[in-house]
Coordinates of all heavy atoms in Angstrom, one line a residue:
M1 N -3.4 -15.3 -5.4 CA -2.7 -15.9 -4.4 C -1.7 -15.0 -3.7 O -1.0 -14.3 -4.4 CB -1.9 -17.1 -5.0 CG -1.0 -17.9 -4.1 SD -0.3 -19.4 -4.6 CE -0.3 -19.5 -6.4
S2 N -1.6 -15.1 -2.3 CA -0.8 -14.1 -1.6 C 0.6 -14.6 -1.4 O 0.9 -15.8 -1.5 CB -1.3 -13.8 -0.2 OG -1.2 -15.0 0.7
D3 N 1.5 -13.7 -1.3 CA 3.0 -13.9 -1.2 C 3.3 -13.6 0.2 O 3.3 -12.4 0.7 CB 3.6 -13.1 -2.2 CG 5.1 -13.3 -2.2 OD1 5.7 -13.6 -1.2 OD2 5.7 -13.3 -3.2
P4 N 3.7 -14.5 1.0 CA 4.1 -14.3 2.4 C 5.2 -13.2 2.6 O 5.1 -12.5 3.5 CB 4.5 -15.7 3.0 CG 4.0 -16.7 2.0 CD 3.9 -16.0 0.7
E5 N 6.2 -13.3 1.8 CA 7.1 -12.2 1.9 C 6.6 -10.8 1.7 O 6.9 -9.9 2.4 CB 8.2 -12.4 0.7 CG 9.2 -11.5 0.8 CD 10.3 -11.6 -0.4 OE1 10.0 -12.3 -1.4 OE2 11.2 -10.8 -0.5
I6 N 5.7 -10.6 0.7 CA 5.1 -9.3 0.4 C 4.2 -9.1 1.6 O 4.0 -7.8 2.1 CB 4.3 -9.3 -0.9 CG1 5.5 -9.4 -2.1 CG2 3.5 -8.1 -1.1 CD1 4.9 -9.5 -3.5
E7 N 3.3 -10.0 2.1 CA 2.5 -9.7 3.2 C 3.1 -9.3 4.5 O 2.6 -8.5 5.2 CB 1.7 -11.0 3.5 CG 0.6 -11.4 2.4 CD -0.3 -10.3 2.1 OE1 -0.9 -9.6 3.0 OE2 -0.5 -10.0 0.9
A8 N 4.4 -9.7 4.7 CA 5.2 -9.2 5.9 C 5.8 -7.8 5.7 O 6.3 -7.2 6.7 CB 6.3 -10.2 6.1
M9 N 5.7 -7.3 4.4 CA 6.3 -5.9 4.2 C 5.5 -4.8 4.8 O 4.3 -4.8 4.8 CB 6.5 -5.7 2.7 CG 7.6 -6.4 2.0 SD 7.5 -6.0 0.3 CE 9.1 -6.5 -0.1
S10 N 6.2 -3.8 5.3 CA 5.5 -2.6 5.5 C 5.1 -1.8 4.3 O 5.5 -2.1 3.2 CB 6.5 -1.5 6.3 OG 7.5 -1.1 5.4
F11 N 4.3 -1.0 4.5 CA 3.7 -0.2 3.2 C 4.9 0.6 2.5 O 5.1 0.4 1.5 CB 2.7 1.0 3.7 CG 2.3 1.9 2.6 CD1 1.3 1.5 1.7 CD2 2.8 3.1 2.5 CE1 1.1 2.4 0.6 CE2 2.6 4.0 1.5 CZ 1.6 3.6 0.5
E12 N 5.7 1.2 3.3 CA 7.0 1.9 2.8 C 7.8 0.9 2.2 O 8.3 1.3 1.0 CB 7.6 2.6 4.0 CG 6.8 3.8 4.7 CD 5.8 3.3 5.6 OE1 5.8 2.1 6.0 OE2 5.0 4.1 6.1
D13 N 8.2 -0.2 2.6 CA 9.0 -1.1 2.0 C 8.5 -1.6 0.6 O 9.1 -1.7 -0.4 CB 9.5 -2.4 2.9 CG 10.3 -2.0 4.0 OD1 10.9 -0.9 3.9 OD2 10.4 -2.7 5.0
A14 N 7.2 -2.0 0.6 CA 6.5 -2.4 -0.5 C 6.4 -1.4 -1.7 O 6.6 -1.6 -2.8 CB 5.0 -2.9 -0.2
M15 N 6.2 -0.2 -1.1 CA 6.2 1.0 -2.2 C 7.4 1.3 -2.7 O 7.6 1.5 -4.0 CB 5.6 2.3 -1.5 CG 5.5 3.4 -2.5 SD 4.3 3.0 -3.7 CE 2.7 3.8 -3.0
K16 N 8.5 1.2 -1.8 CA 9.9 1.4 -2.5 C 10.2 0.3 -3.6 O 10.8 0.6 -4.5 CB 10.9 1.3 -1.3 CG 12.4 1.5 -1.9 CD 13.3 1.2 -0.7 CE 13.5 2.6 0.1 NZ 14.5 2.4 1.2
E17 N 9.9 -1.0 -3.2 CA 10.1 -2.0 -4.1 C 9.3 -1.8 -5.5 O 9.7 -2.1 -6.4 CB 9.9 -3.3 -3.6 CG 10.4 -4.5 -4.5 CD 10.2 -5.9 -4.0 OE1 10.3 -6.0 -2.7 OE2 10.2 -6.9 -4.8
L18 N 8.1 -1.4 -5.2 CA 7.2 -1.2 -6.4 C 7.7 -0.1 -7.3 O 7.7 -0.3 -8.5 CB 5.7 -0.9 -5.9 CG 4.8 -0.6 -7.0 CD1 4.6 -1.9 -7.9 CD2 3.4 -0.3 -6.3
E19 N 8.2 0.9 -6.8 CA 8.7 2.0 -7.4 C 10.0 1.5 -8.3 O 10.2 2.1 -9.5 CB 9.1 3.2 -6.6 CG 7.9 3.9 -6.2 CD 8.3 5.1 -5.0 OE1 9.4 5.0 -4.5 OE2 7.4 5.7 -4.8
A20 N 10.8 0.8 -7.6 CA 12.1 0.2 -8.2 C 11.7 -0.7 -9.4 O 12.2 -0.8 -10.5 CB 13.0 -0.5 -7.4
T21 N 10.7 -1.6 -9.2 CA 10.2 -2.5 -10.3 C 9.6 -1.7 -11.4 O 9.9 -2.1 -12.6 CB 9.0 -3.4 -9.6 OG1 9.5 -4.1 -8.6 CG2 8.5 -4.3 -10.7
V22 N 8.8 -0.6 -11.2 CA 8.3 0.1 -12.3 C 9.5 0.8 -13.1 O 9.4 0.9 -14.3 CB 7.3 1.1 -11.8 CG1 6.9 2.3 -12.9 CG2 6.1 0.5 -11.2
G23 N 10.5 1.2 -12.4 CA 11.5 1.8 -13.0 C 12.3 0.9 -14.0 O 12.7 1.3 -15.0
K24 N 12.5 -0.4 -13.5 CA 13.1 -1.3 -14.4 C 12.2 -1.7 -15.6 O 12.8 -2.0 -16.6 CB 13.4 -2.6 -13.5 CG 14.4 -2.6 -12.5 CD 14.5 -3.8 -11.8 CE 15.4 -3.8 -10.5 NZ 15.5 -5.0 -9.7
L25 N 11.0 -1.7 -15.4 CA 10.0 -2.0 -16.5 C 10.1 -0.8 -17.5 O 10.2 -1.1 -18.7 CB 8.7 -2.3 -16.0 CG 8.5 -3.7 -15.4 CD1 7.1 -3.8 -14.7 CD2 8.6 -4.8 -16.3
E26 N 10.1 0.4 -17.0 CA 10.1 1.6 -17.8 C 11.3 1.7 -18.7 O 11.4 2.2 -19.8 CB 9.8 2.8 -17.0 CG 8.4 2.9 -16.6 CD 8.1 4.2 -15.7 OE1 9.1 4.8 -15.3 OE2 6.9 4.6 -15.6
H27 N 12.5 1.3 -18.1 CA 13.7 1.5 -18.7 C 14.2 0.3 -19.5 O 15.4 0.3 -20.1 CB 14.8 1.9 -17.7 CG 14.5 3.2 -17.2 ND1 13.9 3.4 -15.9 CD2 14.8 4.5 -17.7 CE1 13.7 4.8 -15.7 NE2 14.4 5.4 -16.7
G28 N 13.3 -0.8 -19.7 CA 13.8 -1.9 -20.4 C 15.0 -2.5 -19.8 O 15.8 -3.1 -20.7
E29 N 15.2 -2.6 -18.6 CA 16.3 -3.3 -18.0 C 16.2 -4.8 -17.7 O 17.1 -5.3 -17.1 CB 16.6 -2.6 -16.7 CG 16.9 -1.0 -16.7 CD 17.1 -0.5 -15.3 OE1 17.2 -1.2 -14.4 OE2 17.1 0.8 -15.4
A30 N 15.3 -5.3 -18.4 CA 15.0 -6.8 -18.1 C 14.6 -7.5 -19.3 O 14.2 -6.9 -20.4 CB 13.8 -7.0 -17.1
T31 N 14.8 -8.8 -19.4 CA 14.4 -9.5 -20.6 C 12.9 -9.8 -20.5 O 12.2 -9.4 -19.5 CB 15.1 -10.9 -20.5 OG1 14.6 -11.7 -19.3 CG2 16.5 -11.0 -20.3
L32 N 12.4 -10.3 -21.6 CA 10.9 -10.5 -21.6 C 10.4 -11.4 -20.4 O 9.5 -11.0 -19.7 CB 10.5 -11.2 -22.9 CG 9.0 -11.6 -23.0 CD1 8.3 -10.2 -23.0 CD2 8.8 -12.2 -24.2
E33 N 11.2 -12.4 -20.1 CA 10.8 -13.4 -19.0 C 10.9 -12.6 -17.7 O 10.1 -12.7 -16.8 CB 11.5 -14.6 -19.0 CG 11.2 -15.5 -20.0 CD 9.8 -16.0 -20.0 OE1 9.2 -16.3 -19.0 OE2 9.1 -16.0 -21.2
Q34 N 12.0 -11.8 -17.6 CA 12.1 -11.1 -16.3 C 11.1 -9.9 -16.1 O 10.6 -9.7 -15.1 CB 13.5 -10.4 -16.3 CG 14.7 -11.4 -16.1 CD 16.0 -10.7 -16.4 OE1 16.2 -9.8 -17.1 NE2 17.1 -11.3 -15.7
S35 N 10.6 -9.4 -17.3 CA 9.7 -8.3 -17.4 C 8.3 -8.9 -16.8 O 7.7 -8.2 -16.1 CB 9.5 -7.7 -18.7 OG 10.7 -7.0 -19.0
I36 N 8.0 -10.1 -17.2 CA 6.7 -10.8 -16.9 C 6.8 -10.9 -15.4 O 5.8 -10.6 -14.8 CB 6.6 -12.0 -17.7 CG1 6.3 -11.8 -19.1 CG2 5.4 -12.8 -17.1 CD1 6.3 -12.9 -20.1
A37 N 8.0 -11.5 -14.8 CA 8.0 -11.7 -13.5 C 8.0 -10.5 -12.7 O 7.3 -10.4 -11.7 CB 9.4 -12.5 -13.2
L38 N 8.6 -9.4 -13.2 CA 8.6 -8.2 -12.5 C 7.1 -7.7 -12.5 O 6.7 -7.0 -11.5 CB 9.5 -7.2 -13.2 CG 10.9 -7.4 -12.9 CD1 11.8 -6.4 -13.9 CD2 11.3 -7.0 -11.4
Y39 N 6.4 -7.8 -13.6 CA 5.1 -7.2 -13.6 C 4.2 -7.9 -12.6 O 3.4 -7.3 -11.9 CB 4.5 -7.4 -15.1 CG 3.1 -6.8 -15.3 CD1 2.9 -5.6 -15.5 CD2 1.9 -7.7 -15.1 CE1 1.6 -5.0 -15.6 CE2 0.7 -7.2 -15.2 CZ 0.5 -5.9 -15.5 OH -0.7 -5.4 -15.6
E40 N 4.3 -9.3 -12.6 CA 3.6 -10.1 -11.7 C 3.9 -9.7 -10.3 O 2.9 -9.5 -9.5 CB 3.7 -11.5 -11.9 CG 3.1 -12.0 -13.2 CD 3.6 -13.5 -13.4 OE1 4.6 -14.1 -12.9 OE2 2.9 -14.1 -14.5
R41 N 5.0 -9.5 -9.8 CA 5.4 -9.1 -8.6 C 4.9 -7.8 -8.3 O 4.4 -7.4 -7.2 CB 6.9 -9.2 -8.3 CG 7.3 -8.9 -6.9 CD 8.6 -9.3 -6.5 NE 9.1 -8.9 -5.1 CZ 8.8 -9.7 -4.1 NH1 8.1 -10.8 -4.1 NH2 9.3 -9.2 -2.9
G42 N 5.0 -6.9 -9.2 CA 4.6 -5.5 -9.1 C 3.1 -5.5 -8.8 O 2.6 -4.6 -8.0
A43 N 2.3 -6.2 -9.5 CA 0.8 -6.3 -9.2 C 0.6 -6.8 -7.8 O -0.3 -6.2 -7.1 CB 0.1 -7.3 -10.3
K44 N 1.4 -7.8 -7.4 CA 1.2 -8.1 -6.0 C 1.5 -7.0 -4.9 O 0.8 -6.9 -4.0 CB 1.9 -9.4 -5.6 CG 1.5 -10.7 -6.3 CD 2.4 -11.9 -6.2 CE 1.9 -13.1 -6.8 NZ 2.8 -14.2 -6.7
L45 N 2.6 -6.3 -5.3 CA 3.0 -5.3 -4.4 C 1.9 -4.1 -4.4 O 1.7 -3.6 -3.3 CB 4.3 -4.7 -4.9 CG 5.6 -5.4 -4.6 CD1 6.7 -5.1 -5.5 CD2 6.0 -5.6 -3.1
R46 N 1.3 -3.8 -5.6 CA 0.4 -2.7 -5.7 C -0.9 -3.2 -4.8 O -1.3 -2.4 -4.0 CB 0.0 -2.5 -7.1 CG -0.9 -1.3 -7.2 CD -1.6 -1.2 -8.6 NE -2.4 -2.2 -9.0 CZ -3.5 -2.6 -8.6 NH1 -4.1 -1.7 -7.7 NH2 -4.2 -3.5 -9.0
A47 N -1.2 -4.4 -4.9 CA -2.4 -5.0 -4.2 C -2.1 -4.8 -2.7 O -3.0 -4.4 -1.8 CB -2.8 -6.3 -4.6
H48 N -0.9 -5.2 -2.3 CA -0.6 -5.1 -0.8 C -0.7 -3.7 -0.4 O -1.2 -3.4 0.6 CB 0.8 -5.7 -0.6 CG 1.4 -5.7 0.7 ND1 0.9 -6.4 1.8 CD2 2.3 -4.8 1.3 CE1 1.6 -6.0 2.9 NE2 2.4 -5.1 2.5
C49 N 0.0 -2.7 -1.1 CA -0.1 -1.3 -0.8 C -1.5 -0.8 -0.6 O -2.0 -0.1 0.3 CB 0.8 -0.5 -1.8 SG 2.5 -0.7 -1.6
D50 N -2.3 -1.2 -1.6 CA -3.8 -0.7 -1.5 C -4.5 -1.3 -0.3 O -5.2 -0.5 0.3 CB -4.5 -1.4 -2.8 CG -4.2 -0.6 -4.1 OD1 -3.6 0.5 -4.0 OD2 -4.6 -1.2 -5.1
R51 N -4.1 -2.5 0.2 CA -4.7 -3.2 1.3 C -4.3 -2.3 2.5 O -5.1 -2.1 3.4 CB -4.3 -4.6 1.4 CG -5.4 -5.6 1.0 CD -5.1 -7.0 1.4 NE -3.8 -7.5 1.2 CZ -3.1 -7.9 0.0 NH1 -4.0 -7.7 -1.1 NH2 -1.9 -8.2 -0.2
R52 N -3.0 -2.1 2.6 CA -2.4 -1.4 3.7 C -3.1 0.0 3.9 O -3.4 0.5 4.9 CB -0.9 -1.2 3.6 CG -0.1 -2.5 3.8 CD -0.2 -2.9 5.3 NE 0.6 -4.1 5.6 CZ 1.5 -4.2 6.6 NH1 1.7 -3.2 7.4 NH2 2.1 -5.3 6.7
L53 N -3.1 0.7 2.7 CA -3.8 2.0 2.7 C -5.3 2.0 3.3 O -5.7 2.7 4.0 CB -3.8 2.7 1.4 CG -2.5 3.2 1.1 CD1 -2.5 3.7 -0.5 CD2 -2.2 4.4 1.9
R54 N -6.1 0.9 2.8 CA -7.4 0.8 3.1 C -7.5 0.6 4.7 O -8.3 1.1 5.3 CB -8.2 -0.3 2.4 CG -8.7 0.2 1.1 CD -9.8 -0.9 0.6 NE -9.3 -2.3 0.7 CZ -8.5 -2.9 -0.2 NH1 -8.0 -2.2 -1.4 NH2 -8.1 -4.2 -0.1
E55 N -6.6 -0.3 5.2 CA -6.5 -0.6 6.6 C -6.3 0.7 7.4 O -7.0 0.9 8.5 CB -5.6 -1.7 7.0 CG -6.0 -3.1 6.4 CD -4.8 -4.0 6.4 OE1 -3.7 -3.7 6.9 OE2 -5.0 -5.1 6.0
A56 N -5.3 1.5 6.9 CA -5.0 2.7 7.7 C -6.2 3.7 7.6 O -6.4 4.3 8.6 CB -3.7 3.3 7.0
E57 N -6.8 3.8 6.5 CA -8.0 4.7 6.4 C -9.1 4.3 7.3 O -9.8 5.2 7.9 CB -8.5 4.7 4.9 CG -7.5 5.5 4.0 CD -7.9 5.3 2.6 OE1 -8.8 4.5 2.2 OE2 -7.6 6.1 1.7
E58 N -9.3 3.0 7.6 CA -10.4 2.6 8.3 C -10.0 2.9 9.8 O -11.0 2.9 10.7 CB -10.5 1.0 8.3 CG -11.2 0.6 7.0 CD -11.1 -0.8 6.6 OE1 -10.7 -1.5 7.5 OE2 -11.6 -1.2 5.6
R59 N -8.8 3.0 10.1 CA -8.3 3.4 11.6 C -8.3 4.9 11.8 O -8.2 5.2 13.0 CB -7.0 2.7 11.8 CG -7.1 1.2 11.7 CD -5.7 0.6 12.0 NE -4.7 1.2 12.9 CZ -3.4 1.3 12.9 NH1 -2.9 0.6 12.0 NH2 -2.7 1.9 13.9
V60 N -8.4 5.6 10.7 CA -8.3 7.0 11.0 C -9.6 7.5 11.8 O -10.8 7.0 11.6 CB -8.2 7.8 9.7 CG1 -8.6 9.3 9.9 CG2 -7.0 7.5 8.8
E61 N -9.4 8.3 12.8 CA -10.5 8.9 13.6 C -10.6 10.4 13.5 O -9.6 11.1 13.3 CB -10.3 8.4 15.0 CG -10.4 7.0 15.3 CD -10.4 6.7 16.8 OE1 -9.6 7.4 17.5 OE2 -11.1 5.7 17.1
K62 N -11.8 10.8 13.6 CA -12.1 12.3 13.5 C -12.3 12.7 14.9 O -13.1 12.2 15.7 CB -13.3 12.5 12.7 CG -13.8 14.0 12.6 CD -15.0 14.0 11.6 CE -15.8 15.2 12.1 NZ -17.1 15.2 11.5
I63 N -11.6 13.8 15.2 CA -11.7 14.3 16.6 C -13.0 15.2 16.6 O -13.1 16.0 15.8 CB -10.4 15.2 17.0 CG1 -9.3 14.3 17.1 CG2 -10.7 15.9 18.4 CD1 -7.9 15.0 17.2
T64 N -13.8 14.9 17.6 CA -15.0 15.7 17.8 C -14.8 16.7 18.9 O -14.0 16.5 19.8 CB -16.2 14.9 18.2 OG1 -15.9 14.1 19.4 CG2 -16.5 13.9 17.1
M65 N -15.5 17.9 18.7 CA -15.4 19.1 19.6 C -16.6 19.3 20.3 O -17.7 19.2 19.8 CB -14.9 20.3 18.8 CG -13.6 20.1 18.0 SD -12.2 19.8 19.1 CE -11.2 21.2 18.7
A66 N -16.4 19.6 21.6 CA -17.7 20.1 22.5 C -18.2 21.5 22.1 O -17.3 22.1 21.3 CB -17.3 19.9 23.9
A67 N -19.2 21.9 22.6 CA -19.6 23.3 22.1 C -18.7 24.3 22.6 O -18.6 25.4 22.0 CB -21.1 23.5 22.9
N68 N -17.9 23.9 23.6 CA -17.0 25.0 24.2 C -15.7 25.0 23.5 O -14.8 25.7 23.9 CB -16.7 24.9 25.8 CG -16.1 23.6 26.1 OD1 -15.9 22.7 25.2 ND2 -15.9 23.2 27.4
G69 N -15.5 24.1 22.3 CA -14.3 24.1 21.7 C -13.3 23.1 22.2 O -12.2 23.0 21.6
E70 N -13.6 22.4 23.3 CA -12.7 21.5 23.8 C -12.8 20.1 23.0 O -14.0 19.7 22.9 CB -12.9 21.3 25.3 CG -12.7 22.5 26.1 CD -11.0 22.8 26.2 OE1 -10.3 21.8 26.3 OE2 -10.7 23.9 26.1
P71 N -11.7 19.3 22.8 CA -12.0 18.0 22.3 C -12.7 17.1 23.2 O -12.5 17.1 24.4 CB -10.5 17.4 22.1 CG -9.6 18.6 22.2 CD -10.4 19.6 23.1
Q72 N -13.6 16.4 22.6 CA -14.6 15.6 23.6 C -14.5 14.2 23.3 O -14.9 13.3 24.0 CB -16.1 16.0 23.5 CG -16.9 15.4 22.3 CD -18.3 16.0 22.4 OE1 -18.6 17.1 22.9 NE2 -19.1 15.2 21.8
G73 N -13.8 13.7 22.1 CA -13.7 12.4 21.8 C -13.4 12.1 20.3 O -13.1 13.1 19.7
T74 N -13.4 11.0 19.8 CA -13.3 10.6 18.5 C -14.4 9.7 17.9 O -15.0 9.0 18.7 CB -11.9 9.9 18.3 OG1 -11.9 8.6 19.1 CG2 -10.8 10.8 18.8
V75 N -14.5 9.8 16.6 CA -15.5 8.9 15.9 C -14.8 8.4 14.7 O -13.9 9.2 14.1 CB -16.8 9.6 15.6 CG1 -17.6 10.1 16.8 CG2 -16.6 10.8 14.8
P76 N -15.1 7.3 14.3 CA -14.5 6.8 12.9 C -14.9 7.8 11.7 O -16.0 8.3 11.8 CB -15.1 5.5 12.6 CG -15.6 5.1 14.0 CD -16.0 6.3 14.8
V77 N -14.0 8.0 10.8 CA -14.2 8.8 9.6 C -15.1 8.0 8.7 O -14.7 6.9 8.5 CB -13.0 9.4 9.0 CG1 -13.2 10.1 7.8 CG2 -12.2 10.2 10.1
E78 N -16.0 8.7 8.3 CA -17.0 8.0 7.1 C -16.5 8.5 5.8 O -16.0 9.6 5.7 CB -18.5 8.3 7.4 CG -19.0 7.8 8.7 CD -20.3 8.1 9.1 OE1 -21.1 8.5 8.0 OE2 -20.8 8.2 10.2
G79 N -16.8 7.5 4.9 CA -16.6 7.9 3.5 C -15.2 7.8 2.9 O -14.9 8.2 1.7
L80 N -14.3 7.0 3.6 CA -13.0 6.9 3.1 C -13.0 5.7 2.2 O -13.6 4.7 2.4 CB -12.0 6.8 4.2 CG -11.6 8.1 4.9 CD1 -10.6 7.8 6.1 CD2 -11.3 9.1 4.0

C-alpha cells in the first residue's frame, strides 16, 4: 500500500528521512512499537527511493557521435 506523503517526496528528501530512520533503529533510540513503525516506514521510503532511481535511469540518454566527432543525437541507454 502506498503512502501519499512518501509518494510526494523527492528522492533526496526520502533518502534523508531513510538515513535518519536507520540511525534511530541502529542506536536503539525507540521503543519496540516505535521500532516496528520506523521499520515499516523505512521499507516504504526505500521502495520509493528505488522507484525514483529506476525512473531516473530510464530517462538517462546516451549521446551519440557522428563519424566526424560531432554530437548527432541521443538514444536511450540500454541495460540499466
Side-chain angles (χ1 to χ4, degrees):
M1 182 170 10
S2 68
D3 181 325
E5 178 190 358
I6 291 174
E7 291 303 315
M9 288 180 155
S10 69
F11 172 82
E12 292 80 8
D13 289 342
M15 186 60 98
K16 182 187 271 186
E17 184 176 335
L18 180 57
E19 289 171 349
T21 300
V22 169
K24 288 177 186 176
L25 288 169
E26 287 180 341
H27 292 98
E29 299 174 10
T31 66
L32 178 60
E33 289 301 316
Q34 291 170 332
S35 294
I36 292 168
L38 285 168
Y39 181 84
E40 289 171 344
R41 184 160 175 88
K44 290 178 184 177
L45 287 163
R46 186 189 63 76
H48 176 69
C49 288
D50 286 346
R51 259 190 318 282
R52 288 287 184 132
L53 280 174
R54 270 195 318 277
E55 290 167 1
E57 287 172 344
E58 290 170 1
R59 292 175 42 204
V60 171
E61 293 183 322
K62 177 179 153 187
I63 298 172
T64 59
M65 304 296 242
N68 65 0
E70 294 290 319
Q72 85 180 29
T74 61
V75 295
V77 174
E78 296 179 20
L80 290 179

